[in-house]
Amino acid sequence: MLSVTDLQKTYPSGDEALKGVSLDVTGSETVAMIGPSGAGKSTFIRCVNRLTEPTGGSVELDGLEITGLSGKELRNARRDMGMIFQEYNLIERLTVMENVLSGRLGYVSTWDAFRRKFAGDDIERAYEVLDRVGLGGHENNRADELSGGQRQRVGIARAILQRPKILLVDEPTSSLDPESSRAVMDLLTEIAAEDDIPVLINIHEVDLAEEYAGRIVGLRDGQKVFEGGPDDLDETARGQIYRGEEIPEGAGPTGKVAEAGTPGESSQEEGQIRRG
Amino acid sequence: MATEQPEQRTWRRPTAFYNHYVKWAVYVVITVFLLWSAWNMRISPARIMDGWNAAVGLVEGMVPPEYTTQFKNELLIEGLVESLAMSVIATIVGVIISIPVAFMAAENIAPKPVYWTGRGIITVSRSFHELIIAIIAVKAVGIGALAGVIALSYKTVGFFAKLLAEEIEDIDSGQMEATEATGANRVQTMLFGVIPQVMPRIIGLTIYRWDINIRHSTIVGIVGAGGIGATLLNSFDQYDYDFFLTIIIAIIAIVMVGELISTYIRGRIQ
Amino acid sequence: MTDYQTWERRTPRQRIGRYILMLIVLVAAAVSWQLLQINYSYLGTAPTEFMDLINRMYPPNVGYTGEIISPMIETIHIAILGTALAVLMSIPVALIGAENTTPNRFTFVLGKFIISASRSVNVIIWALVFVIIFGSGALAGTLAIAVRSIGFCSKLIAEAIEEIDPGQVEAIQATGANSIEAAIYGIVPQVKPALIGVSTYRWDINVRASTIIGFVGAGGIGVELNTSINFFAWQQVLTILLAILIIVVFSEVVSAYLRRKVR
Ligand SMILES: Nc1ncnc2c1ncn2[C@@H]1O[C@H](COP(=O)(O)OP(=O)(O)OP(=O)(O)O)[C@@H](O)[C@H]1O
Ligand SMILES: [Mg+2]
């Protein structure tokens, strides 16, 4: 399970992107993180695997503190976190197979990586994963020959080849048409269920979040302003996330006074309920 | 799944070559060729050692560069001025000759036989290094700046006409046809339908070529075709390495100034 | 002329600028013409001299062909080995000369310095320097070509590196790959077309350069050409020129083919 506490990030430019955000992601749940542009969603995800260096707080994956790691230890920790990007970030000029296999780079020696020599098991699994994401037979295509939806599925295949303990997904659908967006979201939730890993998704489309996520987190100005099930995301909550409407004194995680309780406890409970 | 497929699937990166054997064959050929080339250089530890000593000697001989003697200063200035003058004249002459050649070598304007003649002129001009042309020109017209001007103008034609021809091939044929439709003859069409469109490019390329000609004008003297190159070779032949370095520094300075001016002007006219 | 209804192609300022530019050109031309003190009687006789030269060159000396095969091969060796060396050395120079891969400010300046130092000295001058160091022969020529090409190649490769998409590198880092693996997968494929384009293009240039470094004793066909010219063996000269022409055209075709092949 991923457990983030009081995560802070201030960019060298002075931008306070995260002002102390805590979040737990457990089991095989799908957590959607929504919020206006610039709220800090991408920063949050990138701080988890430290593509961006957080300036404060802690990130724990299965009890291992990520923030203090360096070198080999950090790389080993990254192997356990699959990341999927908005712009796919595939190696455009390499084949689909090389892109998928690059998910194993944390496990092979540099020389073998150079020779594109991967374990037989990995190759077999890459074929299976490609079938699973619906790209069987495309292994020798170059990534830049694929459509956006296909590329994103290669990105997902690369991430699951890592056998990650969690998937970090940064706006997987922003560059896709509605049809491909749904296909990608279906795939992600399916994987979460089948492989029993949690998925943390940044997403702009609130309707997709409501449809696919078990839990929704609302970020605004680097602060968590909402946390709850899709049903809790009513007009008030949306107003608080997207339009910055006042959150009443003593409000709970969903931004309403009636459901009082501390955010930490609540999120834990909900996670447990969902798992049970 | 795995039980149904006892055989594990394998994967090999598709190769840009015909197949993997061809790929390895190509690599082997390249390696052997490079080794053969290296062997031909007759590199030996002794040679490297001698080379090192010679290099140290050269550096000691060169540093500090010489800048005191009145006589040598005059030689230096004279050579540089001659180089510069050569570059100016050669650029002008070369460009004037290039423009008709460019029209000849533009596929959309010239009839086939003319086109091929134009292309031929360009290819031959581009094929030979400026020093080869210079050395031949020296034999034809004697040692001195004239040979250099001829060599540089000749090289300018290949460069300039090629790029200008490409520009002409890209022009908007509508404007040309509009001029033709007014009843203009062929030459008038060129003057009013084509030249105005490519004029900015002509100016830009001229300045760019001038920049290149400055560089070349500093070395054609090595084969006797005028400019600072002759002084450079002399100092080298007389083991006057101090002065050798002075000249090289002067050449670098003048080349850089030329480049700055050329970049500045080209930036302004665009 | 009235103020209205006149047709002006340019603003007055632009026109004045143009006139000044033209004036400068005219003055420069006139001054240069004066300075050169060319004996124009030579210019008058030049066409006849050239015709005479061509007459003496023709027909090429076919029997001489056998003798130039080995210097021609040496020329190609020099061009290829020089280019290969240059490209090899360009890669580290490009890495430190590119803003996004250079380790620090100092290495960046060093990279830029190497690039401009190599570029601002002509290959024939480099050849002179290496002839002093290693004596005459192909080694000096190869090094001259290599050193002169480093700047050119590094500059273009560095530009390619600066243009890569950092997202691809990040994605590889995110899988837990080390930084060398991230470079092999994330950077190399992105700069490969530029690398191949630059090296074939430079090879093409170097073939021409390797035909002349022999003038100062740095090996290749230039040595032969220089001797033939000095002995007024014009038919041999034509043979050599034709051989050079063939090689140059051949190299141009090959390098254009290679550049097309790599997408
Ligand atoms: N590399 C950076 N340097 C400086 N500031 C940054 C950087 N990246 C992001 N920021 C700032 O941090 C804040 C949060 O950015 P972030 O990209 O995390 O937002 P986001 O919620 O992902 O937005 P979007 O929905 O547009 O992707 C913004 O104010 C942004 O300007
Ligand atoms: Mg974002």
Side-chain angles (χ1 to χ4, degrees), chain B residues 90-126:
Chain B
T91 308
I92 294 173
V93 174
V95 168
I96 291 172
I97 302 173
S98 301
I99 292 177
V101 176
F103 278 94
M104 285 169 71
E107 208 167 8
N108 56 340
I109 288 184
K112 273 281 140 57
V114 178
Y115 169 73
W116 287 115
T117 319
R119 284 274 135 186
I121 295 176
I122 291 175
T123 305
V124 173
S125 159
R126 279 165 46 81

mmCIF file of all heavy atoms in Angstrom, chain B residues 90-126:
data_model
loop_
_atom_site.group_PDB
_atom_site.id
_atom_site.type_symbol
_atom_site.label_atom_id
_atom_site.label_comp_id
_atom_site.label_asym_id
_atom_site.label_seq_id
_atom_site.Cartn_x
_atom_site.Cartn_y
_atom_site.Cartn_z
ATOM 1 N N ALA B 90 35.695 38.026 -55.405
ATOM 2 C CA ALA B 90 35.277 36.686 -55.822
ATOM 3 C C ALA B 90 33.792 36.471 -55.560
ATOM 4 O O ALA B 90 33.100 35.843 -56.367
ATOM 5 C CB ALA B 90 36.094 35.631 -55.090
ATOM 6 N N THR B 91 33.296 37.014 -54.458
ATOM 7 C CA THR B 91 31.876 36.846 -54.179
ATOM 8 C C THR B 91 31.043 37.553 -55.234
ATOM 9 O O THR B 91 30.088 36.980 -55.778
ATOM 10 C CB THR B 91 31.535 37.413 -52.784
ATOM 11 O OG1 THR B 91 32.436 36.852 -51.833
ATOM 12 C CG2 THR B 91 30.126 37.086 -52.393
ATOM 13 N N ILE B 92 31.431 38.786 -55.563
ATOM 14 C CA ILE B 92 30.651 39.532 -56.552
ATOM 15 C C ILE B 92 30.690 38.832 -57.911
ATOM 16 O O ILE B 92 29.651 38.552 -58.520
ATOM 17 C CB ILE B 92 31.170 40.976 -56.651
ATOM 18 C CG1 ILE B 92 30.899 41.692 -55.322
ATOM 19 C CG2 ILE B 92 30.499 41.720 -57.793
ATOM 20 C CD1 ILE B 92 31.508 43.066 -55.225
ATOM 21 N N VAL B 93 31.899 38.512 -58.361
ATOM 22 C CA VAL B 93 32.021 37.856 -59.660
ATOM 23 C C VAL B 93 31.268 36.527 -59.661
ATOM 24 O O VAL B 93 30.487 36.234 -60.565
ATOM 25 C CB VAL B 93 33.512 37.622 -60.008
ATOM 26 C CG1 VAL B 93 33.652 36.812 -61.276
ATOM 27 C CG2 VAL B 93 34.229 38.951 -60.141
ATOM 28 N N GLY B 94 31.481 35.758 -58.606
ATOM 29 C CA GLY B 94 30.840 34.448 -58.528
ATOM 30 C C GLY B 94 29.327 34.556 -58.571
ATOM 31 O O GLY B 94 28.662 33.808 -59.292
ATOM 32 N N VAL B 95 28.772 35.509 -57.828
ATOM 33 C CA VAL B 95 27.318 35.632 -57.779
ATOM 34 C C VAL B 95 26.772 36.045 -59.143
ATOM 35 O O VAL B 95 25.758 35.515 -59.610
ATOM 36 C CB VAL B 95 26.901 36.632 -56.683
ATOM 37 C CG1 VAL B 95 25.436 36.996 -56.816
ATOM 38 C CG2 VAL B 95 27.174 36.043 -55.313
ATOM 39 N N ILE B 96 27.477 36.983 -59.802
ATOM 40 C CA ILE B 96 26.999 37.423 -61.108
ATOM 41 C C ILE B 96 26.960 36.252 -62.091
ATOM 42 O O ILE B 96 26.010 36.090 -62.859
ATOM 43 C CB ILE B 96 27.886 38.580 -61.642
ATOM 44 C CG1 ILE B 96 27.638 39.817 -60.766
ATOM 45 C CG2 ILE B 96 27.577 38.888 -63.096
ATOM 46 C CD1 ILE B 96 28.567 40.974 -61.047
ATOM 47 N N ILE B 97 27.975 35.398 -62.039
ATOM 48 C CA ILE B 97 27.955 34.236 -62.927
ATOM 49 C C ILE B 97 26.901 33.223 -62.481
ATOM 50 O O ILE B 97 26.252 32.573 -63.300
ATOM 51 C CB ILE B 97 29.344 33.553 -62.960
ATOM 52 C CG1 ILE B 97 30.404 34.555 -63.431
ATOM 53 C CG2 ILE B 97 29.337 32.334 -63.868
ATOM 54 C CD1 ILE B 97 31.823 34.033 -63.333
ATOM 55 N N SER B 98 26.720 33.114 -61.166
ATOM 56 C CA SER B 98 25.816 32.079 -60.644
ATOM 57 C C SER B 98 24.365 32.287 -61.054
ATOM 58 O O SER B 98 23.639 31.320 -61.260
ATOM 59 C CB SER B 98 25.831 32.079 -59.120
ATOM 60 O OG SER B 98 27.099 31.845 -58.650
ATOM 61 N N ILE B 99 23.941 33.548 -61.135
ATOM 62 C CA ILE B 99 22.508 33.767 -61.327
ATOM 63 C C ILE B 99 21.999 33.126 -62.614
ATOM 64 O O ILE B 99 21.043 32.349 -62.566
ATOM 65 C CB ILE B 99 22.181 35.270 -61.201
ATOM 66 C CG1 ILE B 99 22.418 35.672 -59.737
ATOM 67 C CG2 ILE B 99 20.748 35.560 -61.607
ATOM 68 C CD1 ILE B 99 22.229 37.127 -59.434
ATOM 69 N N PRO B 100 22.638 33.378 -63.774
ATOM 70 C CA PRO B 100 22.156 32.655 -64.961
ATOM 71 C C PRO B 100 22.285 31.140 -64.815
ATOM 72 O O PRO B 100 21.387 30.405 -65.260
ATOM 73 C CB PRO B 100 23.040 33.183 -66.090
ATOM 74 C CG PRO B 100 24.141 33.940 -65.454
ATOM 75 C CD PRO B 100 23.660 34.369 -64.119
ATOM 76 N N VAL B 101 23.357 30.681 -64.198
ATOM 77 C CA VAL B 101 23.515 29.232 -64.036
ATOM 78 C C VAL B 101 22.362 28.674 -63.204
ATOM 79 O O VAL B 101 21.804 27.619 -63.505
ATOM 80 C CB VAL B 101 24.868 28.889 -63.377
ATOM 81 C CG1 VAL B 101 24.984 27.389 -63.125
ATOM 82 C CG2 VAL B 101 26.015 29.353 -64.240
ATOM 83 N N ALA B 102 21.977 29.413 -62.161
ATOM 84 C CA ALA B 102 20.874 28.957 -61.315
ATOM 85 C C ALA B 102 19.588 28.837 -62.131
ATOM 86 O O ALA B 102 18.837 27.875 -61.982
ATOM 87 C CB ALA B 102 20.676 29.921 -60.154
ATOM 88 N N PHE B 103 19.344 29.810 -62.992
ATOM 89 C CA PHE B 103 18.140 29.729 -63.819
ATOM 90 C C PHE B 103 18.214 28.530 -64.756
ATOM 91 O O PHE B 103 17.217 27.861 -65.006
ATOM 92 C CB PHE B 103 17.946 31.018 -64.614
ATOM 93 C CG PHE B 103 17.292 32.094 -63.795
ATOM 94 C CD1 PHE B 103 18.053 33.024 -63.125
ATOM 95 C CD2 PHE B 103 15.915 32.141 -63.688
ATOM 96 C CE1 PHE B 103 17.455 33.994 -62.339
ATOM 97 C CE2 PHE B 103 15.309 33.107 -62.917
ATOM 98 C CZ PHE B 103 16.083 34.054 -62.233
ATOM 99 N N MET B 104 19.421 28.262 -65.244
ATOM 100 C CA MET B 104 19.581 27.103 -66.116
ATOM 101 C C MET B 104 19.282 25.824 -65.357
ATOM 102 O O MET B 104 18.739 24.878 -65.915
ATOM 103 C CB MET B 104 21.032 27.030 -66.635
ATOM 104 C CG MET B 104 21.359 28.045 -67.701
ATOM 105 S SD MET B 104 23.139 28.080 -67.975
ATOM 106 C CE MET B 104 23.378 26.508 -68.794
ATOM 107 N N ALA B 105 19.643 25.806 -64.087
ATOM 108 C CA ALA B 105 19.553 24.564 -63.334
ATOM 109 C C ALA B 105 18.256 24.445 -62.549
ATOM 110 O O ALA B 105 18.125 23.580 -61.692
ATOM 111 C CB ALA B 105 20.735 24.443 -62.387
ATOM 112 N N ALA B 106 17.282 25.323 -62.829
ATOM 113 C CA ALA B 106 15.998 25.215 -62.141
ATOM 114 C C ALA B 106 15.043 24.424 -63.026
ATOM 115 O O ALA B 106 14.718 24.835 -64.132
ATOM 116 C CB ALA B 106 15.435 26.598 -61.837
ATOM 117 N N GLU B 107 14.588 23.308 -62.511
ATOM 118 C CA GLU B 107 13.829 22.357 -63.322
ATOM 119 C C GLU B 107 12.528 22.950 -63.842
ATOM 120 O O GLU B 107 12.060 22.596 -64.928
ATOM 121 C CB GLU B 107 13.533 21.115 -62.473
ATOM 122 C CG GLU B 107 13.386 19.871 -63.294
ATOM 123 C CD GLU B 107 13.414 18.618 -62.426
ATOM 124 O OE1 GLU B 107 13.400 18.745 -61.191
ATOM 125 O OE2 GLU B 107 13.440 17.524 -63.006
ATOM 126 N N ASN B 108 11.933 23.867 -63.080
ATOM 127 C CA ASN B 108 10.621 24.386 -63.469
ATOM 128 C C ASN B 108 10.704 25.479 -64.523
ATOM 129 O O ASN B 108 9.692 25.932 -65.028
ATOM 130 C CB ASN B 108 9.871 24.907 -62.231
ATOM 131 C CG ASN B 108 10.673 25.967 -61.489
ATOM 132 O OD1 ASN B 108 11.889 26.055 -61.644
ATOM 133 N ND2 ASN B 108 10.000 26.783 -60.708
ATOM 134 N N ILE B 109 11.899 25.921 -64.836
ATOM 135 C CA ILE B 109 12.031 27.025 -65.778
ATOM 136 C C ILE B 109 12.771 26.591 -67.031
ATOM 137 O O ILE B 109 12.358 26.891 -68.142
ATOM 138 C CB ILE B 109 12.794 28.192 -65.106
ATOM 139 C CG1 ILE B 109 11.890 28.840 -64.065
ATOM 140 C CG2 ILE B 109 13.228 29.213 -66.132
ATOM 141 C CD1 ILE B 109 12.508 30.038 -63.415
ATOM 142 N N ALA B 110 13.856 25.848 -66.836
ATOM 143 C CA ALA B 110 14.738 25.552 -67.965
ATOM 144 C C ALA B 110 14.260 24.322 -68.729
ATOM 145 O O ALA B 110 13.752 23.376 -68.136
ATOM 146 C CB ALA B 110 16.146 25.320 -67.444
ATOM 147 N N PRO B 111 14.413 24.358 -70.059
ATOM 148 C CA PRO B 111 14.175 23.144 -70.831
ATOM 149 C C PRO B 111 15.233 22.091 -70.487
ATOM 150 O O PRO B 111 16.331 22.433 -70.046
ATOM 151 C CB PRO B 111 14.301 23.601 -72.282
ATOM 152 C CG PRO B 111 14.863 24.971 -72.256
ATOM 153 C CD PRO B 111 14.760 25.506 -70.880
ATOM 154 N N LYS B 112 14.878 20.832 -70.685
ATOM 155 C CA LYS B 112 15.715 19.711 -70.241
ATOM 156 C C LYS B 112 17.214 19.832 -70.554
ATOM 157 O O LYS B 112 18.033 19.718 -69.638
ATOM 158 C CB LYS B 112 15.169 18.380 -70.773
ATOM 159 C CG LYS B 112 14.117 17.769 -69.855
ATOM 160 C CD LYS B 112 14.739 17.064 -68.674
ATOM 161 C CE LYS B 112 14.065 17.253 -67.437
ATOM 162 N NZ LYS B 112 13.277 17.310 -66.535
ATOM 163 N N PRO B 113 17.585 20.054 -71.832
ATOM 164 C CA PRO B 113 19.040 20.077 -72.122
ATOM 165 C C PRO B 113 19.753 21.173 -71.338
ATOM 166 O O PRO B 113 20.839 20.953 -70.780
ATOM 167 C CB PRO B 113 19.112 20.366 -73.615
ATOM 168 C CG PRO B 113 17.744 20.267 -74.152
ATOM 169 C CD PRO B 113 16.780 20.295 -73.031
ATOM 170 N N VAL B 114 19.108 22.340 -71.263
ATOM 171 C CA VAL B 114 19.700 23.450 -70.504
ATOM 172 C C VAL B 114 19.812 23.072 -69.037
ATOM 173 O O VAL B 114 20.818 23.317 -68.376
ATOM 174 C CB VAL B 114 18.842 24.724 -70.666
ATOM 175 C CG1 VAL B 114 19.435 25.864 -69.844
ATOM 176 C CG2 VAL B 114 18.717 25.103 -72.117
ATOM 177 N N TYR B 115 18.758 22.426 -68.533
ATOM 178 C CA TYR B 115 18.739 22.010 -67.132
ATOM 179 C C TYR B 115 19.933 21.120 -66.826
ATOM 180 O O TYR B 115 20.649 21.327 -65.845
ATOM 181 C CB TYR B 115 17.431 21.274 -66.832
ATOM 182 C CG TYR B 115 17.401 20.575 -65.498
ATOM 183 C CD1 TYR B 115 17.298 21.300 -64.314
ATOM 184 C CD2 TYR B 115 17.490 19.188 -65.415
ATOM 185 C CE1 TYR B 115 17.280 20.667 -63.091
ATOM 186 C CE2 TYR B 115 17.472 18.547 -64.195
ATOM 187 C CZ TYR B 115 17.369 19.280 -63.031
ATOM 188 O OH TYR B 115 17.352 18.643 -61.821
ATOM 189 N N TRP B 116 20.154 20.135 -67.685
ATOM 190 C CA TRP B 116 21.257 19.212 -67.415
ATOM 191 C C TRP B 116 22.602 19.903 -67.522
ATOM 192 O O TRP B 116 23.516 19.615 -66.751
ATOM 193 C CB TRP B 116 21.184 17.988 -68.335
ATOM 194 C CG TRP B 116 20.069 17.079 -67.911
ATOM 195 C CD1 TRP B 116 18.937 16.771 -68.610
ATOM 196 C CD2 TRP B 116 19.949 16.390 -66.666
ATOM 197 N NE1 TRP B 116 18.130 15.936 -67.885
ATOM 198 C CE2 TRP B 116 18.712 15.684 -66.684
ATOM 199 C CE3 TRP B 116 20.755 16.304 -65.517
ATOM 200 C CZ2 TRP B 116 18.283 14.915 -65.612
ATOM 201 C CZ3 TRP B 116 20.316 15.524 -64.456
ATOM 202 C CH2 TRP B 116 19.095 14.841 -64.513
ATOM 203 N N THR B 117 22.723 20.849 -68.459
ATOM 204 C CA THR B 117 23.973 21.614 -68.538
ATOM 205 C C THR B 117 24.209 22.360 -67.227
ATOM 206 O O THR B 117 25.304 22.324 -66.648
ATOM 207 C CB THR B 117 23.911 22.637 -69.693
ATOM 208 O OG1 THR B 117 23.292 22.013 -70.812
ATOM 209 C CG2 THR B 117 25.293 23.132 -70.064
ATOM 210 N N GLY B 118 23.164 23.028 -66.754
ATOM 211 C CA GLY B 118 23.272 23.788 -65.504
ATOM 212 C C GLY B 118 23.690 22.902 -64.348
ATOM 213 O O GLY B 118 24.616 23.216 -63.601
ATOM 214 N N ARG B 119 22.999 21.752 -64.236
ATOM 215 C CA ARG B 119 23.343 20.802 -63.164
ATOM 216 C C ARG B 119 24.789 20.343 -63.294
ATOM 217 O O ARG B 119 25.501 20.208 -62.297
ATOM 218 C CB ARG B 119 22.438 19.558 -63.241
ATOM 219 C CG ARG B 119 21.057 19.791 -62.738
ATOM 220 C CD ARG B 119 20.993 19.588 -61.244
ATOM 221 N NE ARG B 119 20.232 20.698 -60.685
ATOM 222 C CZ ARG B 119 20.054 20.921 -59.400
ATOM 223 N NH1 ARG B 119 20.588 20.125 -58.512
ATOM 224 N NH2 ARG B 119 19.359 21.941 -58.990
ATOM 225 N N GLY B 120 25.209 20.088 -64.515
ATOM 226 C CA GLY B 120 26.577 19.625 -64.758
ATOM 227 C C GLY B 120 27.583 20.655 -64.269
ATOM 228 O O GLY B 120 28.548 20.320 -63.571
ATOM 229 N N ILE B 121 27.351 21.925 -64.616
ATOM 230 C CA ILE B 121 28.268 22.984 -64.181
ATOM 231 C C ILE B 121 28.366 22.983 -62.662
ATOM 232 O O ILE B 121 29.444 23.039 -62.073
ATOM 233 C CB ILE B 121 27.777 24.365 -64.683
ATOM 234 C CG1 ILE B 121 27.823 24.414 -66.212
ATOM 235 C CG2 ILE B 121 28.623 25.482 -64.080
ATOM 236 C CD1 ILE B 121 27.275 25.695 -66.798
ATOM 237 N N ILE B 122 27.207 22.872 -62.020
ATOM 238 C CA ILE B 122 27.191 22.900 -60.556
ATOM 239 C C ILE B 122 27.967 21.729 -59.974
ATOM 240 O O ILE B 122 28.805 21.893 -59.077
ATOM 241 C CB ILE B 122 25.736 22.892 -60.039
ATOM 242 C CG1 ILE B 122 25.077 24.223 -60.396
ATOM 243 C CG2 ILE B 122 25.686 22.641 -58.548
ATOM 244 C CD1 ILE B 122 23.614 24.293 -60.061
ATOM 245 N N THR B 123 27.707 20.528 -60.512
ATOM 246 C CA THR B 123 28.378 19.340 -59.970
ATOM 247 C C THR B 123 29.886 19.455 -60.105
ATOM 248 O O THR B 123 30.636 19.190 -59.157
ATOM 249 C CB THR B 123 27.896 18.075 -60.692
ATOM 250 O OG1 THR B 123 26.486 18.010 -60.591
ATOM 251 C CG2 THR B 123 28.497 16.824 -60.064
ATOM 252 N N VAL B 124 30.338 19.865 -61.299
ATOM 253 C CA VAL B 124 31.781 19.951 -61.511
ATOM 254 C C VAL B 124 32.380 21.015 -60.587
ATOM 255 O O VAL B 124 33.444 20.825 -59.995
ATOM 256 C CB VAL B 124 32.097 20.260 -62.983
ATOM 257 C CG1 VAL B 124 33.586 20.513 -63.153
ATOM 258 C CG2 VAL B 124 31.666 19.101 -63.861
ATOM 259 N N SER B 125 31.664 22.107 -60.412
ATOM 260 C CA SER B 125 32.188 23.154 -59.545
ATOM 261 C C SER B 125 32.264 22.693 -58.101
ATOM 262 O O SER B 125 33.185 23.037 -57.366
ATOM 263 C CB SER B 125 31.306 24.396 -59.649
ATOM 264 O OG SER B 125 31.479 25.203 -58.524
ATOM 265 N N ARG B 126 31.275 21.899 -57.693
ATOM 266 C CA ARG B 126 31.257 21.470 -56.297
ATOM 267 C C ARG B 126 32.237 20.343 -56.009
ATOM 268 O O ARG B 126 32.607 20.114 -54.859
ATOM 269 C CB ARG B 126 29.848 21.014 -55.919
ATOM 270 C CG ARG B 126 28.912 22.156 -55.576
ATOM 271 C CD ARG B 126 27.468 21.697 -55.573
ATOM 272 N NE ARG B 126 27.308 20.431 -54.861
ATOM 273 C CZ ARG B 126 27.231 20.326 -53.543
ATOM 274 N NH1 ARG B 126 27.266 21.402 -52.806
ATOM 275 N NH2 ARG B 126 27.095 19.154 -52.968
#
